[in-house]
Amino acid sequence: MLQNNTTSLDYMRLALEQAQHAYEAEEVPIGAVIVDATGAVIAKAYNQTVKLSDPTAHAEILAIREACRLIGAQRIPECDLYVTLEPCPMCTSAISFARIRHVYFGAEDVKSGGLVSGPCLSASAALHHKTGFTKNLLAAESTDLLQRFFKARR
């Protein structure tokens, strides 16, 4: 658990560690970390769609489920999410439903992103809660891991 002098870069590095676990498990290398208002890491996850045979088992969804279970609530408005790739539309909607305070993400996903790219749900009236976001946090490292993963599969 990191606290006190921990920075957003430290939390994103933890998300990158989760993405590395996904890479090693031959899952799309995306990692996520949820931090509460005290700075405690309360959930960590990586993509597990193949392992769990579940198309919704994205890192963000798994981390949100764990954080909500730990807190005992369906909404976690005092929490921030760190994720290595811009959340897709499904995850962006889940982030809104969970009322996550702020999302920090690494690489933008111009093809399948849902927060600022693609359908740009952050600007949509369809979302009940508008989360704050910061993009391009350790984007080069996130992009590199994703590119290595997909290059190895071609």
Side-chain angles (χ1 to χ4, degrees):
M1 176 177 1
L2 299 175
Q3 293 183 12
N4 301 329
N5 296 327
T6 306
T7 68
S8 294
L9 292 176
D10 295 321
Y11 294 126
M12 186 57 78
R13 285 186 190 97
L14 288 175
L16 279 165
E17 287 177 15
Q18 291 298 303
Q20 183 63 41
H21 291 312
Y23 183 92
E24 292 164 4
E26 298 184 0
E27 299 271 2
V28 176
I30 299 169
V33 172
I34 295 182
V35 178
D36 72 10
T38 70
V41 174
I42 61 169
K44 297 185 286 188
Y46 57 89
N47 273 12
Q48 296 184 53
T49 60
V50 175
K51 177 183 177 183
L52 299 177
S53 299
D54 179 355
T56 69
H58 290 196
E60 301 94 309
I61 299 292
L62 296 174
I64 289 168
R65 287 176 184 161
E66 177 61 19
C68 288
R69 185 198 62 73
L70 181 71
I71 290 173
Q74 69 177 7
R75 295 188 177 128
I76 49 176
E78 299 300 319
C79 293
D80 297 329
L81 170 70
Y82 292 81
V83 62
T84 57
L85 183 66
E86 176 185 355
C88 72
M90 174 186 69
C91 293
T92 298
S93 293
I95 289 163
S96 175
F97 289 130
R99 305 293 195 264
I100 290 175
R101 177 176 53 193
H102 199 91
V103 175
Y104 298 84
F105 67 87
E108 288 185 51
D109 187 350
V110 294
K111 181 180 176 188
S112 301
L115 193 57
V116 298
S117 304
C120 191
L121 293 178
S122 63
S124 172
L127 287 186
H128 301 287
H129 167 74
K130 305 289 192 220
T131 186
F133 65 86
T134 301
K135 61 183 183 174
N136 298 321
L137 196 61
L138 298 181
E141 293 87 337
S142 298
T143 299
D144 178 63
L145 188 58
L146 285 159
Q147 287 176 340
R148 284 188 288 127
F149 176 80
F150 287 112
K151 184 177 181 180
R153 273 139 191 81
R154 291 190 178 119

